[in-house]
Amino acid sequence: MPNWKPWTREELAVRVARDIPEGWSVNLGIGISTLIGNYIPPGREVILHSENGIVGMGPAPSPEKLNPWLVNASRQHVTLVTGASYMNHADSFGMVRGGHLDLCVLGGFQVAENGDLANWSRSENDRAPAIGGAMDLAVGAKRIWVVMEHTTKGGEKRILKRCTYPLTAKNCVKRVYTDLAVIDVTEGGFVVIDKIPGISLDQLEELGDAGLRSETGVAGRDGLR
Amino acid sequence: MPNWKPWTREELAVRVARDIPEGWSVNLGIGISTLIGNYIPPGREVILHSENGIVGMGPAPSPEKLNPWLVNASRQHVTLVTGASYMNHADSFGMVRGGHLDLCVLGGFQVAENGDLANWSRSENDRAPAIGGAMDLAVGAKRIWVVMEHTTKGGEKRILKRCTYPLTAKNCVKRVYTDLAVIDVTEGGFVVIDKIPGISLDQLEELGDAGLRSETGVAGRDGLR
Amino acid sequence: MIDKFVRSVAEAMAGIEDSSTVLVSGFAQIGEPRALVDGLIEQGARDLIVVHNTAGRGREGVARLIGEGRVRKIICSFARSRGSVLFEEIYARGDIELEIVPQGTLAERIRAGGAGIPAFFTPTGGGTLLARGKETRVIDGRECVLEQAIRGDVALVEAWRADRWGNLVYRDAGRNFNPVVAAAGDLTIVQTQNVAELGELTPEVIVTPGIYVDRVVHVPSGDPPVVIS
Amino acid sequence: MIDKFVRSVAEAMAGIEDSSTVLVSGFAQIGEPRALVDGLIEQGARDLIVVHNTAGRGREGVARLIGEGRVRKIICSFARSRGSVLFEEIYARGDIELEIVPQGTLAERIRAGGAGIPAFFTPTGGGTLLARGKETRVIDGRECVLEQAIRGDVALVEAWRADRWGNLVYRDAGRNFNPVVAAAGDLTIVQTQNVAELGELTPEVIVTPGIYVDRVVHVPSGDPPVVIS
C-alpha cells in the first residue's frame, strides 16, 4: 500500500482558491469546482462568473437569507457580492467565449499532455450526453484549470499522452489539480509543480500515461531524465 | 406647364403619417422622413425606433425641455414618450435586421419595379460615400416605404424598370410616396393607389421609366391597358 | 391604444399550430414560463420542435410535454440530467429526435435568430464530436464550426414585471435565456409575475422592449422552488 | 482591492502602441470619449486603425487624429459627413485607407469581436457593391455576406457613472456603441462623467460589467453640444 495520503476535496478546493490572484474573473464550472468559491481567502477580491448571467457571485446563503431567484449554474443557491450584476444568457456566454474570464476551473475525465480535455462523455456511443456549457468555457476562458482525481476509482489513468474519450476542447488546459499533485501543462508536456508528501515523481508517473517533469528537474518517459 | 400642384413636403409627411396604423413599430430613417414623426395623429400609438438605440421617440422638444443627451439618428434633438427604452447599437440593429420593425420609411434616389432601392450613392466611383444604417434598415424592416420627389430637380427619372445607381438593397420597397403619387410595388410591378388632382396616369408614367397600373384599372407599358 | 395583455393562459396560447418550433426560456427552473408550457400542453399543438436548455426534469413542464408525445425534436444542452425520466424513456424508444448543442452556442443561435444573423462561426465545439457533419473552417488558427440561427414560431418567456406595451424586466437569475428568447419568436408570449403601469418601467431599466412581445398574461405564480442539495 | 481608476487621461492612455486598432465609441457626439481621443493625440501612437461610426466631423476628436496623420485606416459607416473636412483632404491625397461598413454590420462586427464570434453571415449588403470581394452565400433565399469580427487592441468608451470595478451605466442616447465597444477591447479605457461607490450601481441596472473594463478616468466634461439644425 502507498504510504501517502491524498488531498481531500476540501484541501484541493482550498489549494486552488489560494492560487487565484486578486482581481481575476473566474468561472467555477459545475460540480466539485464550485466548492472553491467557499475558500477564496477573505479580503481577496475575485469576481466569480456563472453561466446563467451572474457576475459577482458570493458564497452560499444562510437559510434565512436564501433568495429563491438566485442560483448558480449547478442550481445551488448563492448570494451576490457588492458590485455584482446580471446579464442575459447570450451576453454571459459572449463574455466566456470572448476571452474575458481570466480562469475557468472545470472537472475532468481525462487531460492530455497537449492540453486536450475530455470531461463530458465517456463514449462516442453515448447518444444523449449532457454537454451544458463545458465546451464554451473550455474554448473561451484565458486559462483552464482542471480539478479531478488522479485516477478513477477503478484505477484507470486520466493523465494521458492523448485523450481516449470524446474531447471537450483541444489544447485548452493550463493546469491540473489532482488529489496527488499540481501539474502544469506546458509546450514541453506535463510539469509537476507540487505533490503530496511521500510520493515520488516516478510513482506519480506510474499513475498516469504520460511523461512528467518536475518544476526543478526533468523526469519522465521522454528519456530526458 | 402642367396644371397640377405637387404635394409639399409637409403634405407628404402628413399623408405618410396618416397611413401608419396604430401599434406599428416604425423607423423613420434620416432626412425628410423624420418629419413624419411630427404628424402622427394625436392619440394613435405608434412606436418610433431610432438606430442609435431608442425605442419610443417623441417629437422635438421645446427649447426649455431639450435634453442634450437625447438625439435621433439624424442628430436632431428629440423626446421620449411614456414606455420608451434604450438599447445598445448592436441590439438596436439586431431589432432592425431581425425583422421586428413593422415599417421603415427611407429617402430614395431610385426605386425599381422589382422593389430594388438605391438611396446611398450616385456612382460606383464615389469612393467615400455615407452608407450609415440604410442597408441594414432596407433588408431588415418588414416593409420599406420610400419618400422622394418623383423626378430630380433636373428632371431625371427615379421610378424605373431597373435602378442605375448602386443598390441599397434588392427587392425591399413596398410603397413609394412621391410629390405626385402613392405607388405600391407589387409582384406585378408598380400600382398607383393615389395621385394628386389633375395628373393622369399617362402623364405620371411619362415622368418615370416603368409601367404603372392604377389600383382599380390596369395601365402602363406592359400592354395591358 | 396598444395593450398586449390577454386575460388567460388559454387566450395567450391560442392559435399555436402543429409542427411549430417553440422556444422555452428558463434555467434550472428559474425564469421558466411554466404556466405557458402547461398552457401549451392544454392547447394541444403537437409534432413540435422544442428548444430549451434541458430535456426537462421530473414529470412536469417540458418533461410532461415530451412525455405526452407532443415533441418531435428537442434541441438542448443537457439531455440527460437528474430526473430526466420521461425523456429517457421516449428517447430509448426512438420516439424523439435529439440535437445536443453547447449551452453558449444554443444561446448564441437563438440570439442570432432574433438579430437577423442567419449563421455564424464559433470556436466552441471545434475539433470535437459535435463538429461532425458540420461545416468547419480554421479562422486565426482555431477550428471553428458554422452554426445556424434558431428562430421560434413561438417563444415562451417569464418576466418579473411587464407593462401594456410588453416592456419587460426580469428578477435576479430569472433573466437568463428570457431576453434572448423573447427577441427570437415570431409570436412571443410572456407570463409575468407582476403588472406595471406604462412608464413605471423606466427607459434605462427596461431589458426587453415591448416591440419583441406579442401577448402578455399575468401569472403571479410566486417564487421558484427552493432545492437544497 | 480592485480599483480600475487612474488619476489622469495621460495615465489612462499609457502604453498604447503604434499600429494598434482603436475602437472609438460615440454617435453624433453623444457618448463619445472625446477626452480619451485627445489623450491619444497627446500620447503619440501612430499608424493606427480607427473604428468609429464616422470619419470625424469638424477639426476635433477623431477628425484631428486623422488630420495629424496618425491614422492609417478608418473603418466607419459615414465617411463623408457634414464637415468631414480633414478626412476629405487626406483621403484625396491617398494618405488614408477607408473601409465603409453598414452601420448595423459595424455594430455587429464589434459585438462579434467582444463575444468571441470570429465571423458571421448577414443579409445586409447582399447584392450590393459592398459585397464585392467578400464571400457570399444564399441562405433561405437571401444573398448573405460573410463579415469578420472586429476586435480592438484598445477600446475607448464614455460612461455616465462608473465604480472601481469598472461597472458602467450610460446616459440616454449616450449608450449607443459604448457597451459593444467596451466588450471588444483588449485594453478598454473609460472616461466617466461621474464616480459611483461600489454597490451604488445595482445588479439590475449595470449595463457593462467591470470585467470588460481595464482603466477608468473621471472626466466630468458635461453635456454634449446642442446643435439645432
Side-chain angles (χ1 to χ4, degrees), chain A:
Chain A
M1 284 301 293
N3 61 344
W4 57 72
K5 186 169 156 294
W7 285 317
T8 63
R9 276 169 62 98
E10 279 67 25
E11 284 167 337
L12 214 43
V14 169
R15 169 62 199 258
V16 176
R18 202 187 73 196
D19 289 354
I20 302 174
E22 174 150 280
W24 274 20
S25 52
V26 180
N27 181 296
L28 295 177
I30 65 176
I32 174 173
S33 44
T34 54
L35 194 60
I36 296 162
N38 296 334
Y39 295 110
I40 304 287
R44 187 183 296 180
E45 285 195 330
V46 169
I47 300 178
L48 299 183
H49 167 272
S50 182
E51 297 96 297
N52 54 329
I54 308 172
V55 169
M57 267 193 309
S62 57
E64 67 276 11
K65 291 206 169 159
L66 186 146
N67 173 353
W69 294 81
L70 187 52
V71 300
N72 64 15
S74 303
R75 212 206 182 288
Q76 296 163 329
H77 288 277
V78 294
T79 52
L80 295 185
V81 298
T82 303
S85 58
Y86 296 114
M87 296 174 290
N88 70 47
H89 233 81
D91 287 347
S92 179
F93 276 97
M95 179 177 274
V96 168
R97 209 175 30 231
H100 303 284
L101 299 182
D102 295 299
L103 170 66
C104 177
V105 183
L106 290 170
F109 296 156
Q110 298 177 332
V111 174
E113 64 182 12
N114 62 357
D116 288 358
L117 169 65
N119 83 341
W120 68 291
S121 172
R122 288 188 174 82
S123 160
E124 292 204 7
N125 300 319
D126 181 358
R127 291 176 56 236
I131 178 61
M135 286 189 180
D136 309 281
L137 289 160
V139 303
K142 282 181 191 153
R143 51 183 75 73
I144 299 293
W145 292 353
V146 170
V147 180
M148 63 181 190
E149 288 171 357
H150 205 94
T151 61
T152 66
K153 289 197 174 59
E156 282 170 67
K157 295 173 178 180
R158 306 175 117 181
I159 301 288
L160 306 174
K161 279 197 118 46
R162 290 293 176 271
C163 293
T164 60
Y165 290 165
L167 294 188
T168 304
K170 287 183 166 177
N171 187 21
C172 62
V173 181
K174 291 283 182 290
R175 184 178 286 178
V176 187
Y177 291 85
T178 77
D179 51 341
L180 306 180
V182 182
I183 305 171
D184 273 353
V185 182
T186 73
E187 289 293 313
F190 288 122
V191 176
V192 177
I193 61 170
D194 197 4
K195 53 191 174 54
I196 56 170
I199 197 167
S200 73
L201 195 63
D202 281 349
Q203 287 170 320
L204 201 58
E205 203 174 68
E206 284 303 313
L207 294 169
D209 188 35
L212 302 178
R213 289 180 297 139
S214 76
E215 195 178 23
T216 47
V218 175
R221 291 176 188 172
D222 53 9
L224 291 172
R225 182 160 27 179

